[in-house]
């Protein structure tokens, strides 16, 4: 399989609620795209840091009349998780998205079948966009890797 795009990056909590868009040119004659996306760490395992962040969020977002109940049960929200998701645009527009929690994902897009969340259709030549939506980074750093290759549909990889 030919590599079409390979990128990596490092995020911090300041990256939360942002989007990172990569553009790539897809040449004519490609039948399927394989997208591999992973990031880590997935969770903030430090109990004290988690407790502090959860308590701050409860005080900021929960109705004051209910805050004590939530504060007593803060551990229900532990461990906190980083969340990054993908969406894809082909030269004609939105091709789909994968708003999933697993931090290791593989997706396929092709004319006749695609991973859940993506539309099947021709793999048109032209400029495609892959956007990483950085919903939340709770760890000090979070590294990601995105790899897009051309290839045939492999049913073992059709959806993760």
């Amino acid at each position: 399989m030919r590599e079409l795009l390979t990128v990596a990056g490092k995020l911090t909590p300041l990256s939360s609620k942002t989007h990172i868009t990569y553009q790539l040119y897809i040449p004519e004659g490609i039948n399927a795209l394989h997208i591999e996306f992973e990031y880590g760490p997935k969770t903030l395992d430090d109990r004290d840091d988690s407790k502090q962040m959860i308590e701050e969020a409860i005080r900021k977002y929960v109705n004051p009349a209910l805050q004590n109940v939530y504060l007593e049960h803060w551990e229900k929200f532990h461990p906190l998780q980083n969340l990054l998701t993908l969406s894809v645009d082909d030269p004609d527009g939105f091709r789909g998205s994968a708003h999933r929690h697993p931090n290791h994902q593989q997706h396929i897009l092709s004319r006749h079948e695609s991973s859940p969340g993506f539309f099947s259709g021709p793999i048109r030549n032209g400029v495609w966009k892959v956007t990483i939506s950085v919903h939340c980074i709770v760890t000090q750093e979070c590294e990601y890797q995105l790899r897009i290759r051309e290839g045939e549909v492999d049913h073992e990889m059709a959806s993760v």
Side-chain angles (χ1 to χ4, degrees):
M1 285 190 235
R2 181 172 34 158
E3 295 279 335
L4 300 170
L5 176 74
T6 300
V7 294
K10 189 179 291 186
L11 305 167
T12 70
L14 293 174
S15 308
S16 296
K17 300 178 185 175
T18 63
H19 302 278
I20 302 165
T21 299
Y22 293 98
Q23 294 187 10
L24 66 152
Y25 182 79
I26 302 296
E28 209 167 305
I30 290 183
N31 296 320
L33 296 176
H34 292 247
I35 300 173
E36 295 178 36
F37 177 60
E38 63 183 295
Y39 62 91
K42 176 64 180 165
T43 59
L44 173 62
D45 296 322
D46 184 292
R47 191 174 172 80
D48 292 335
D49 286 349
S50 288
K51 182 178 181 184
Q52 181 181 357
M53 293 174 75
I54 291 166
E55 288 177 347
E56 287 175 16
I58 289 171
R59 288 188 178 94
K60 185 173 183 179
Y61 297 111
V62 173
N63 179 329
L66 301 173
Q67 286 182 1
N68 284 339
V69 173
Y70 280 82
L71 289 169
E72 287 176 22
H73 302 286
W74 71 270
E75 292 176 342
K76 289 184 177 182
F77 304 103
H78 178 71
L80 296 174
Q81 299 182 37
N82 292 328
L83 179 61
L84 283 69
T85 61
L86 287 181
S87 61
V88 176
D89 292 274
D90 67 16
D92 294 328
F94 184 69
R95 186 67 182 253
S97 62
H99 287 191
R100 298 181 176 92
H101 280 271
N103 59 335
H104 297 274
Q105 302 177 19
Q106 296 184 26
H107 307 287
I108 294 175
L109 285 83
S110 74
R111 173 181 289 278
H112 300 292
E113 54 189 316
S114 291
S115 298
F118 295 98
F119 300 108
S120 298
I123 305 299
R124 291 181 31 124
N125 68 306
V127 176
W128 288 57
K129 296 177 184 174
V130 178
T131 299
I132 300 170
S133 294
V134 185
H135 298 275
C136 185
I137 302 296
V138 294
T139 55
Q140 290 295 316
E141 291 184 347
C142 179
E143 295 184 13
Y144 68 88
Q145 295 180 339
L146 173 65
R147 190 167 120 185
I148 301 174
R149 297 174 289 147
E150 74 166 303
E152 299 297 321
V153 173
D154 178 349
H155 286 83
E156 293 180 14
M157 294 177 52
S159 175
V160 175

